Amino acid sequence: MKSEYLLISREFAIQNKRYFAFLTLMSFLSSFFSVSMIAFVLPVLNFIEVNGDIDTAKTYWTIIASFFNTINLEMNVYTLAILNLVIVFSFQVIDYFRLIYIQNLYPLGMKYVRQNLMTKYLLDDFLNINSYSKSSLVTLYSMHASEYGNLFYRMFVLLFLIVQILLFTVVLSLINFSLLFLITSYILIIVFVTLKRGKYALKSGKEIANINDQILQRVTETINALKISKVFNYEKTLFNKSVKDSDLLLRESMNVHKNASLITFIDTFNFIFLMSTLIISYKYFQLPLSEIVIFLFLLFRLVPILKQFNFEKIEINAKLESALKIKRLVDENDYSTNFDYRDKINSLVKMNIKNVSFKYQNHNVLTDITLQFEPSKHYAIKGRSGSGKSTLADLILGLYKPSKGNIEYYDDKNKLIDISSVYKFYMSQEPFILNGTVRDNLLFGSNDDLTYTESTLNDALRKVDLESFFIQLQGLDTIIDENGANLSGGQKQRLALARLFIRHYDLIVLDEHTSAIDEVSIKIINEAIKSIRKSIIISITHDSAVMENADVIIELKNSRVNRKV
Ligand SMILES: Nc1ncnc2c1ncn2[C@@H]1O[C@H](COP(=O)(O)OP(=O)(O)O)[C@@H](O)[C@H]1O
Ligand SMILES: [Mg+2]
């Protein structure tokens, strides 16, 4: 733990400087007024006692008297009361703003997290993203992000409480120095207990964050595997696992709240402390009654503050792990939210893979690959499954960086260009289908300023042998369910492939695009691909019909290029 959440807060504060400065000021002023309000009650009490025991030599008295002196006001019970009223009102006004602004920390924290995560996922190189499953992503976005926001909020409440406790002790020291010693030890005991208990909360918080991850992962998995779980009669097992997760979550949450709630026992302790303080201050320090009253008054204000301090600290500890999960993710790299570089377009004419090797962690997948690609040529890549074909495609598309060697891309003037500036097409092994209309699906990835006519879209459907199928339905307006649930495997592949035919792409990478498609349709698709001009086409395939359609066949074997024909 240590100062990890101080680190989080600092970063957040830097991002929201003005907000942070304003809140700190408000918190400080609010604490100041809240405490001075009490300081002014004491002289009033002294006045009421009339011949009382006014000890004008007392520090607090000299301060207040000199204050009256500077503003040229006679110090009597009325002016003191009015001043007190002004202070109470000022406190209320300032605290109103403090409360409004502090509430905003929650959504502000969430906004900060969302933007950072989104930037990270969209701009990061693929590798780091891969270590998180989709369901963890959902978790991170929803739960942890909200905990992160919550954490900032609580952090500020805690700051406010600490400032208040410090100011209280200052005022106390002005009233009676010996009492200050008593109060300070009292505060220290509570802070000590809080920190001790907080350690348990930290541990439980860690458990909670992990169990929550697991639960979300399990739910996503269950939904994805609904059909297959039923076939394998796996429902009961899934159900029991989920019950076990929830029980665990309940137990850990109970732990956190048990620790936070222990503070209720403070009241017993408090009572003993009050009584003994009363006796000590009256008998040994011979404090006047007015000072004892104000002292008790102070103490009564201090106790709820200490209680809340305990509560907030333990809650923060419980949420810390969630926030840290996010922080670790955001911290891995520092990205600016500048996506504009992708708007620059270069034409790709040549591509050289030079001595490229690639490994996942310690697992060598590709070794010393050297290949040249030229436009208007169709390359087929074959090889046993697991031989690294899809990985090579990812490298070519710039989704991964090679562990060794490099891939060079050249434009028509033979200048080196960045792969992100090239119009490229990709069809992954699992075709990506949008939940929307056929039209939405065709236009995915072509979100530039061009507009597409109905006939372009229908032509594209015809080239993948899908036009007649959708005509029976609502044509381009046919709704496609999530993941293409209302399509067959081959129809999904064909729909994803149809996107290729609505505009020109310099680089086309197709990963087993025909694996679920019948021979008749493959023939039609092959013809359509043959008619594409001036593109580098790379087909990863096991299909002999597709290979026959290619100009060059590359075989991967044992992580190397085995043969090129
Ligand atoms: N994200 C990943 N993390 C770790 N290993 C991976 C990852 N993706 C693929 N691999 C491994 O890399 C090897 C090549 O995978 P892949 O390129 O998908 O093969 P192919 O497409 O030829 O079937 C396989 O052994 C696979 O286990
Ligand atoms: Mg593959």
Side-chain angles (χ1 to χ4, degrees), residues 264-534:
T264 42
F265 290 104
I266 193 182
D267 286 337
T268 321
F269 181 62
N270 203 27
F271 183 75
I272 300 166
F273 181 76
L274 275 183
M275 288 301 141
S276 39
T277 313
L278 219 83
I279 293 165
I280 293 169
S281 44
Y282 194 72
K283 273 223 141 165
Y284 299 97
F285 300 150
Q286 271 105 38
L287 272 192
L289 214 60
S290 62
E291 292 193 5
I292 293 177
V293 169
I294 196 71
F295 182 74
L296 293 181
F297 192 50
L298 263 177
L299 215 57
F300 272 117
R301 299 232 8 174
L302 189 60
V303 168
I305 293 174
L306 285 174
K307 269 191 183 180
Q308 206 193 346
F309 170 80
N310 174 283
F311 179 78
E312 296 296 347
K313 182 70 180 70
I314 286 177
E315 285 291 316
I316 285 174
N317 277 10
K319 291 180 181 355
L320 198 60
E321 182 62 20
S322 274
L324 284 175
K325 266 181 195 281
I326 298 240
K327 185 173 157 52
R328 280 175 213 130
L329 208 67
V330 171
D331 268 7
E332 277 166 21
N333 283 296
D334 198 13
Y335 292 99
S336 64
T337 2
N338 183 10
F339 300 99
D340 295 344
Y341 70 93
R342 304 211 173 210
D343 292 346
K344 188 173 170 351
I345 295 299
N346 283 310
S347 58
L348 174 76
V349 159
K350 204 172 70 183
M351 181 169 82
N352 288 342
I353 301 184
K354 280 186 165 171
N355 308 100
V356 163
S357 298
F358 184 80
K359 52 181 166 187
Y360 291 107
Q361 286 92 34
N362 297 319
H363 176 195
N364 261 326
V365 177
L366 294 170
T367 316
D368 205 21
I369 307 284
T370 299
L371 292 166
Q372 280 96 41
F373 295 88
E374 287 158 24
S376 302
K377 273 200 173 162
H378 186 171
Y379 299 82
I381 300 179
K382 66 174 191 174
R384 297 186 55 185
S385 80
S387 59
K389 304 182 295 296
S390 296
T391 305
L392 184 61
D394 288 337
L395 285 167
I396 287 170
L397 290 163
L399 300 174
Y400 293 101
K401 300 268 170 291
S403 317
K404 252 195 223 143
N406 60 321
I407 305 179
E408 293 169 346
Y409 308 87
Y410 294 93
D411 69 1
D412 43 4
K413 296 180 190 76
N414 215 23
K415 260 174 60 188
L416 276 171
I417 53 168
D418 195 279
I419 182 64
S420 63
S421 67
V422 174
Y423 274 134
K424 45 202 180 299
F425 183 88
Y426 174 51
M427 192 176 139
S428 52
Q429 216 164 340
E430 295 294 326
F432 171 69
I433 301 292
L434 217 62
N435 178 202
T437 60
V438 171
R439 182 183 286 102
D440 295 337
N441 266 287
L442 290 175
L443 292 178
F444 173 84
S446 57
N447 52 346
D448 47 27
D449 296 335
L450 297 177
T451 46
Y452 298 92
T453 59
E454 298 277 297
S455 76
T456 308
L457 302 183
N458 282 318
D459 281 351
L461 287 180
R462 191 172 328 116
K463 286 178 175 163
V464 293
D465 196 21
L466 264 186
E467 196 190 20
S468 52
F469 172 71
F470 284 122
I471 280 174
Q472 302 162 34
L473 304 166
Q474 280 86 48
L476 291 170
D477 296 317
T478 309
I479 301 282
I480 308 295
D481 292 347
E482 197 178 320
N483 281 330
N486 54 347
L487 296 177
S488 79
Q491 284 164 343
K492 273 196 266 188
Q493 280 186 332
R494 281 183 281 157
L495 181 58
L497 193 63
R499 295 173 186 142
L500 173 56
F501 301 105
I502 64 170
R503 56 156 302 143
H504 171 81
Y505 295 96
D506 286 350
L507 175 62
I508 298 165
V509 177
L510 310 172
D511 197 348
E512 307 200 13
H513 61 290
T514 57
S515 62
I517 303 179
D518 63 280
E519 286 163 39
V520 180
S521 294
I522 290 178
K523 238 186 194 143
I524 296 170
I525 290 166
N526 272 346
E527 286 311 308
I529 289 179
K530 230 180 210 162
S531 67
I532 295 175
R533 297 273 164 258
K534 292 187 178 165

